Amino acid sequence: SQTIHQWPATLVQPVGSPLSLECTVEGTSNPNLYWYRQAAGRGLQLLFYSVGIGQISSEVPQNLSASRPQDRQFILSSKKLLLSDSGFYLCAWGDGYTFGSGTRLTVV
Amino acid sequence: RKEVEQDPGPFNVPEGATVAFNCTYSNSASQSFFWYRQDCRKEPKLLMSVYSSGNEDGRFTAQLNRASQYISLLIRDSKLSDSATYLCVVSPAGTSYDKVIFGPGTSLSVIP
């Protein structure tokens, strides 16, 4: 069966520090992968999606970037975090939208 | 008009009550519809798909009205464990998920 792993579960980072969140999928090949952000009290916002290795589409301009170095690995990064980057980050894969358990990021 | 709108909530209902959530969408080309449930500080999980003919899963009934671009979720005999945020999800295509739109969600609290 397919499973999706996301880590870390929580993260507290100072403003200006770098960020790297990782997501991996097992049990499937060539999945569509997605990064979402959910700010407090708000809906899910699609940040990036990828249909294959090295293929990244960005939905909104922002302080973040994404990479897909391997078929089942999707990474969300930032060189310098802003306070506004705080939120709940969710990785999903395109089987009907199965989500990872999420990373709660607080930028202080 | 927002692409997907839901009842603002929150809904506070006693155990055993029937509660209905409403959702409207703006893109008439939308093809697939879902209800997701999100527990506090957890990831959203698929609750049920919504079919044109309407569908039922135990205490949950989902309905779709394409003419009015309206989706509903009915929960009968509410349980404490139903407390969560319910997200309406709309997709304009059957195979590509890059345009899936999540509604803002409606919060439900079932009170003893």
Side-chain angles (χ1 to χ4, degrees):
Chain A
S1 62
Q2 300 87 359
T3 56
I4 182 167
H5 302 280
Q6 192 179 340
W7 65 93
T10 59
L11 195 58
V12 180
Q13 291 283 103
V15 169
S17 64
L19 173 74
S20 181
L21 302 180
E22 190 161 344
C23 170
T24 59
V25 181
E26 295 178 358
T28 186
S29 57
N30 198 32
N32 288 351
L33 296 173
Y34 307 84
W35 277 111
Y36 279 85
R37 177 171 60 202
Q38 187 175 40
R42 301 180 67 179
L44 285 163
Q45 180 187 34
L46 180 62
L47 301 176
F48 301 95
Y49 71 93
S50 172
V51 298
I53 295 174
Q55 300 179 64
I56 307 294
S57 296
S58 174
E59 287 296 298
V60 293
Q62 58 210 318
N63 184 41
L64 302 168
S65 62
S67 62
R68 187 164 175 178
Q70 299 180 42
D71 182 43
R72 289 171 283 182
Q73 183 184 31
F74 203 23
I75 298 173
L76 182 69
S77 305
S78 174
K79 292 182 179 179
K80 288 185 178 181
L81 284 169
L82 306 172
L83 287 174
S84 57
D85 291 325
S86 294
F88 190 37
Y89 288 83
L90 290 155
C91 178
W93 76 281
D95 72 332
Y97 268 63
T98 300
F99 287 88
S101 54
T103 295
R104 195 161 299 277
L105 171 67
T106 303
V107 182
V108 296
Chain B
R1 181 182 175 185
K2 293 181 180 177
E3 293 184 86
V4 178
E5 296 188 75
Q6 295 186 239
D7 291 328
F11 284 26
N12 299 309
V13 303
E15 273 187 289
T18 296
V19 59
F21 301 121
N22 300 314
C23 171
T24 57
Y25 59 95
S26 60
N27 186 351
S28 60
S30 298
Q31 294 292 325
S32 302
F33 310 90
F34 310 91
W35 283 102
Y36 273 69
R37 171 195 169 124
Q38 185 174 21
D39 292 303
C40 186
R41 303 180 71 85
K42 298 288 187 181
E43 74 274 20
K45 292 185 178 179
L46 178 64
L47 179 64
M48 59 196 304
S49 302
V50 186
Y51 303 119
S52 297
S53 56
N55 48 300
E56 186 174 310
D57 183 2
R59 298 181 292 109
F60 299 82
T61 300
Q63 292 191 316
L64 167 65
N65 184 323
R66 287 187 183 274
S68 301
Q69 295 179 207
Y70 168 92
I71 306 158
S72 66
L73 175 69
L74 184 75
I75 304 176
R76 292 180 299 277
D77 188 22
S78 299
K79 311 292 184 189
L80 295 176
S81 57
D82 293 333
S83 297
T85 297
Y86 291 83
L87 307 175
C88 172
V89 181
V90 175
S91 172
T95 56
S96 171
Y97 290 94
D98 56 293
K99 298 301 180 187
V100 168
I101 306 295
F102 285 80
T106 302
S107 174
L108 170 66
S109 291
V110 181
I111 305 164

